[in-house]
Amino acid sequence: ARHHRRHEGDRGNVTLFLTTSLGYPTLAWSIVLGGLLLFWLVAALGMLGMDALDIDLGDGDAGGMASRLGLDGLPTLVVLSVLAFFAWILTWFVQLLVLAPLPALLRYGLGTVVLLLSPVPAILLTALVLRPLRRLVLRMRPLPAASLLGRIAVVRTPEVDACHGMAELDDGGAGLILQVRHDGAAPIPRGERVVLLEHDLQANTWKVMAERDYRTL
């Protein structure tokens, strides 16, 4: 009997979850979130390139808002997915705890207000969660190879040799971490300044030379 009651309770929880998710106003965000989840599934299967995560917002209101919130530079679909998730969570709980017991007319009226206002706290929560990740994302995002040729970077790993090594390039912003390789007889130690000579597109690595040696050429 106890097992039966537990089974009935689990089934009731699932029913409550689905009823709330597919009810108004949560349904609107459920559709948006479902579409984004489908997009991520397609991307995970390799059917879309990672450049599809970025949508050009231009310099209009959306792009300006992203900049003011400190989210510029992050993949647009990442920001939208987190925003939709928070908006869905907020709307779901408001519907469950506040709107569900109300009469239908009042429920739909207040539900519309909740639906229209839900992006506001969702945007603030998105900025709170994603802003700390922006610096890391910008550091790992490669710049066009042509713009880096001849630039100076600083070795950050214990050494750089023909097989491994990383260096940090000061790009005037958050900085950029690059995979670098050195074919010389002796490895280049940490803290040494190196010159970016050649980019291996397939391996996404840079051939480098110590700045002091480069200047003697």
Side-chain angles (χ1 to χ4, degrees):
R2 182 183 302 175
H3 176 75
H4 178 72
R5 286 195 300 270
R6 185 191 308 169
H7 178 72
E8 290 295 329
D10 291 342
R11 187 165 60 182
N13 291 335
V14 171
T15 301
L16 178 63
F17 175 81
L18 292 177
T19 300
T20 307
S21 299
L22 299 178
Y24 187 82
T26 312
L27 177 61
W29 284 115
S30 296
I31 294 173
V32 173
L33 196 60
L36 288 167
L37 289 174
L38 179 61
F39 175 89
W40 283 108
L41 177 61
V42 173
L45 294 175
M47 299 174 65
L48 289 174
M50 295 308 292
D51 56 346
L53 300 183
D54 276 317
I55 299 174
D56 185 11
L57 298 179
D59 298 322
D61 293 340
M65 179 178 294
S67 180
R68 288 192 296 272
L69 292 172
L71 299 178
D72 52 317
L74 289 172
T76 308
L77 262 298
V78 172
V79 176
L80 292 179
S81 297
V82 176
L83 190 155
F85 173 75
F86 280 127
W88 180 84
I89 286 288
L90 292 168
T91 308
W92 194 92
F93 277 105
V94 170
Q95 179 180 338
L96 177 67
L97 300 176
V98 178
L99 300 179
L102 299 178
L105 183 61
L106 184 58
R107 183 171 69 247
Y108 280 102
L110 291 179
T112 300
V113 175
V114 171
L115 181 62
L116 294 176
L117 294 181
S118 58
V120 177
I123 288 172
L124 298 178
L125 289 170
T126 299
L128 183 67
V129 170
L130 292 184
R131 194 179 296 149
L133 300 178
R134 179 177 177 270
R135 179 178 174 85
L136 176 62
V137 171
L138 292 181
R139 284 166 67 90
M140 300 304 294
R141 175 172 289 185
L143 295 177
S147 68
L148 300 184
L149 288 173
R151 298 279 296 275
I152 303 296
V154 179
V155 176
R156 291 307 183 200
T157 46
E159 63 181 24
V160 173
D161 55 25
C163 299
H164 71 277
M166 300 179 72
E168 181 177 6
L169 173 72
D170 183 3
D171 62 349
L176 189 67
I177 301 296
L178 303 173
Q179 294 284 343
V180 294
R181 304 291 182 262
H182 174 57
D183 295 331
I188 303 175
R190 186 198 304 270
E192 191 79 20
R193 290 163 58 91
V194 295
V195 181
L196 304 180
L197 302 177
E198 182 182 333
H199 183 239
D200 183 337
L201 182 61
Q202 183 174 1
N204 194 26
T205 59
W206 283 90
K207 180 180 179 181
V208 299
M209 176 184 293
E211 184 185 24
R212 63 175 186 274
D213 297 332
Y214 181 79
R215 294 187 182 278
T216 62
L217 295 178

